[in-house]
Amino acid sequence: MNPPPRASPPVAAAAAAAAAVSAPSSAAGAASTPPGGTVAALGPGAPPPGGGGGGGSGGAPPPPGAASLVEQLNRRVLVCLRDGRLLLGTLAAYDQYANVALDAPVERVIVDGSYADVPAGAAVVIRGENVMLVGEVDAESDARATARLTRVSAADIRRARSARQADAGAFRRRERLEWPVPEDYV
């Protein structure tokens, strides 16, 4: 008879850490200690047991070439959404479903040759099915990307966006043609 299957070492370590964290502490208030001998830290800003956001098991770095956002945590990122919106903010958290939490987010609205960064609140959580791309943005690349554009106020960019949407609606309804037509042709 074959022995029962054993869990792989990373799975066993994660299960042991989860069991140690969920076990009640002693009456003296001592923290529970997982088998590895380190105290599991829980609280605001502490990574969850098992790697902290999908970066691997037990804090090990992800394998080379693996898609992981561990390196972008607490850095400024650009999130491109399925509907075409662009959000910039500090990556606060993510999970295996690509759900993303941003601190101090702004929506970058670009219309023709102008742009504005419209504040989107104190924090925002984006459902993973709406995320197309997440990438780190440094100040130099951001400055290069916006050098060809004119920065305008949020109110101006809203007016420009609604005018462009109305123009696109007229084109769809065939009230306006995209190219100039000679007067005698109509």
Side-chain angles (χ1 to χ4, degrees):
M1 224 174 178
N2 291 337
R6 293 181 8 175
S8 65
V11 172
V21 169
S22 63
S25 60
S26 68
S32 59
T33 306
T38 59
V39 176
L42 295 178
S57 62
S68 178
L69 295 173
V70 172
E71 294 84 19
Q72 280 76 30
L73 278 174
N74 298 319
R75 294 191 180 162
R76 188 168 168 84
V77 294
L78 171 72
V79 180
C80 299
L81 301 180
R82 262 186 1 184
D83 63 0
R85 289 187 290 171
L86 305 173
L87 292 174
L88 287 134
T90 303
L91 183 63
Y94 70 96
D95 64 6
Q96 71 269 23
Y97 303 107
N99 295 324
V100 174
L102 297 177
D103 284 335
V106 294
E107 180 182 359
R108 174 148 304 161
V109 182
I110 302 172
V111 178
D112 297 329
S114 58
Y115 81 99
D117 288 338
V118 180
V124 67
V125 176
I126 305 164
R127 187 175 170 94
E129 68 183 20
N130 296 317
V131 175
M132 284 193 339
L133 175 76
V134 178
E136 187 175 349
V137 177
D138 61 349
E140 182 181 324
S141 63
D142 193 26
R144 269 197 322 262
T146 58
R148 296 180 303 270
L149 301 172
T150 305
R151 187 177 184 111
V152 297
S153 69
D156 289 342
I157 205 74
R158 283 189 191 109
R159 281 194 295 274
R161 182 168 47 181
S162 58
R164 178 148 186 153
Q165 288 171 346
D167 195 36
F171 179 71
R172 279 194 303 276
R173 292 187 304 271
R174 298 182 187 252
E175 296 171 0
R176 187 184 66 77
L177 296 176
E178 193 64 32
W179 60 89
V181 177
E183 293 290 325
D184 58 345
Y185 185 76
V186 180

